Amino acid sequence: MICADIVLVSSNRQGCNISIVSEVIKLDQDAPSLNKNSMLLLSFFCFWFFFNLKKDNSLITYFMCILHYFLHISRNKPLRGPTCGVENMLFYAITEGREHVPVSQFIAALRKTGLHVSDPRLKESMDKLRQIMRESVGEVLIDRELFHRCVGGNISLLMQAFRKKFIIPEFAEFAEKINKIYKTVKNQDEGKVANYIPQLAKFSPELWGVSLCTVDGQRHSVGDTKQPFCLQSCVKPLQYAIAVHELGTENVHRYVGMEPSGVKFNMLSLDDDDKPHNPMVNAGAIVISSLIKVKHVKMMSSVCTYQDCCLKLKKIHKYIATFLQRNLFQSEKETGDRNFAIGYYMKEKKCFPPGVEMIDALDFYFQLCSMEVTCESGSVLAATLANGGICPITDERVLSAEAVRNTLTLMHSCGMYDFSGQMAFHVGLPAKSGVSGAILLVIPNVMGMMCWSPPLDRVGNSVRGIHFCQIGSMFQLMFAAHNGDLSALRRFSLFSMDMDQKDYDSRTALHVAAAEGTHSLFAFIWIHYSFGREDVVNVLKDYQQECRQRLEQQIDAEDPQKLSTVERQL
């Protein structure tokens, strides 16, 4: 009973889950069949593990999987089930050492990692599980055999998830932090719903939703995230990315510039070369629409341009771009006098490529702006940009790296109307807003987000969306510390950002910089962190003086020459 004794003592010390302890005792009762060497080795592992690890039930259950497997192998008894020990270890990690668990518990454990049952990568496994549930009477319990049969093809993905190898390892805590920010921002009641397009004016100002998707496919949604809304100007970076992907940067920027305009997004304004300033203003987006359209005219494609763009976006998420809001499309055309004026102005300046009818380009632009999405599908769009053009939930490359790089650059400098400079300075992330109340936010190499709330500020951005991004700038601070981005930290410091902000795991930027070994960032944050904290500085000075005196006393009698060396070091 040596294993059980060690586990019981250490569990009192560590506060382990009692079910884990009972599982060890149950296994330990079968241990007499082990030989002496195996017993000693097993006892050593128990002793080392429980006395050296901090309280972490997920790691303890993972150890239990190894223990369970070791006992079976040591007794020379075959494991039940058709597959290898890795899958058994994963099963026991999910079930916390139990032989049977309800399907609901498995789904709940899956959601805690950020994976959803609707994830296309899990489709085959979930279909098998649903089929078994339909054929069964009463509650279905998952055992090892059923687990292997249903999810055997997704072992690699699930191992990553439950071993916390995704970009956000503690996803449940992170999601809770997002929920708190969401509730804080929900109290904002400023702004007005856009009414110059009648269909937009019908939305309630109380609607508010946030969805996110990481580059590993972890997803979380809170609020009104299933309510469809039109993309409006949020489609501009997507259509630009498609144009660059299909035509190349040089061909696209032969007709449109890449500089911030300095004027409103719907102004009749061109740059010195008689080109639209950038693809994020109306003039630039209309020209981009004409470039996509003329490409398919030259290819003599039998598929209409709009449907082709829908298919391109549908590769990112199966529920996106499948529905054109025809009422909104008609409303856009009927109230689009400004856009028609921009079109005729650019036609006079010969801004369109040869072979394009200006009216057709405008129709196509109105169609793209009228596509409906939800926050959930929009976050996958944003995550594809964050993941370098590869959809995180299908692992399919949709956009080229060149297209994504150009798109994120323009979103950062021109994506938020007349608020673009402040957004870049205060938040520092690529984003694009639309008058429907949507904000498409990209955190490169980490995640994409879609925020939606109809009330707008004076420049046409969602009030709640902007407030959410500003509060969420804490995440940008952490990512800068993680990636060693000293210039970003300097910018945050100039703006007097609080360096003591804590992430979902109660870590500050100082902790993250220290953990990543970025010495320059650690030194910079430490100076900012200790500034104005005389108590911290005094403690360090006292400790330094104490160490100095202790060293002087040790070496003073031995070698006076060493004292000068120590003084120089201190």
Side-chain angles (χ1 to χ4, degrees), residues 229-245:
F229 58 89
C230 59
L231 278 170
Q232 287 296 314
S233 287
C234 285
V235 81
K236 291 174 182 174
L238 304 175
Q239 68 170 125
Y240 170 74
I242 292 173
V244 173
H245 175 78

Side-chain angles (χ1 to χ4, degrees), residues 188-409:
Q188 292 283 326
D189 57 0
E190 300 175 2
K192 295 181 179 180
V193 179
N195 56 14
Y196 68 93
I197 300 176
Q199 289 296 319
L200 294 181
K202 296 180 179 180
F203 284 100
S204 168
E206 301 301 320
L207 293 170
W208 168 224
V210 175
S211 291
L212 64 89
C213 177
T214 73
V215 294
D216 289 317
Q218 297 167 284
R219 288 185 283 168
H220 177 67
S221 297
V222 56
D224 303 304
T225 56
K226 297 185 183 296
Q227 172 71 45
F229 58 89
C230 59
L231 278 170
Q232 287 296 314
S233 287
C234 285
V235 81
K236 291 174 182 174
L238 304 175
Q239 68 170 125
Y240 170 74
I242 292 173
V244 173
H245 175 78
E246 295 185 345
L247 301 172
T249 302
E250 185 177 348
N251 290 331
V252 169
H253 285 285
R254 189 179 300 160
Y255 296 96
V256 64
M258 57 185 73
E259 298 290 339
S261 65
V263 295
K264 290 190 68 174
F265 66 94
N266 59 356
M267 291 291 288
L268 279 71
S269 175
L270 302 175
D271 63 15
D272 294 338
D273 298 322
D274 284 340
K275 296 191 299 186
H277 289 87
N278 61 73
M280 302 299 151
V281 295
N282 287 14
I286 293 169
V287 170
I288 294 295
S289 299
S290 72
L291 289 173
I292 298 175
K293 193 168 185 66
V294 76
K295 173 184 181 296
H296 293 278
V297 170
K298 288 182 178 179
M299 290 174 61
M300 301 182 67
S301 173
S302 60
V303 181
C304 78
T305 314
Y306 173 76
Q307 289 176 339
D308 188 79
C309 279
C310 287
L311 290 173
K312 173 66 72 174
L313 295 177
K314 193 174 180 179
K315 287 183 179 180
I316 300 176
H317 195 286
K318 66 177 180 178
Y319 298 114
I320 199 168
T322 57
F323 184 66
L324 169 65
Q325 230 295 355
R326 296 192 179 277
N327 291 334
L328 182 62
F329 170 58
Q330 291 299 327
S331 186
E332 284 261 15
K333 289 184 66 174
E334 292 169 2
T335 59
D337 294 340
R338 169 73 68 166
N339 287 322
F340 278 103
I342 293 172
Y344 280 109
Y345 177 57
M346 290 194 296
K347 182 179 180 181
E348 179 201 359
K349 296 293 184 178
K350 295 180 171 48
C351 295
F352 294 104
V356 170
E357 290 292 332
M358 182 269 295
I359 296 297
D360 291 341
L362 276 172
D363 265 8
F364 181 42
Y365 171 68
F366 291 144
Q367 288 176 359
L368 292 176
C369 290
S370 302
M371 286 196 303
E372 282 194 335
V373 296
T374 64
C375 283
E376 293 180 357
S377 57
S379 68
V380 180
L381 285 172
T384 302
L385 294 175
N387 200 30
I390 299 174
C391 178
I393 62 173
T394 63
D395 293 327
E396 180 180 1
R397 176 166 288 283
V398 182
L399 300 168
S400 66
E402 175 191 25
V404 172
R405 182 184 64 247
N406 293 356
T407 301
L408 295 182
T409 301

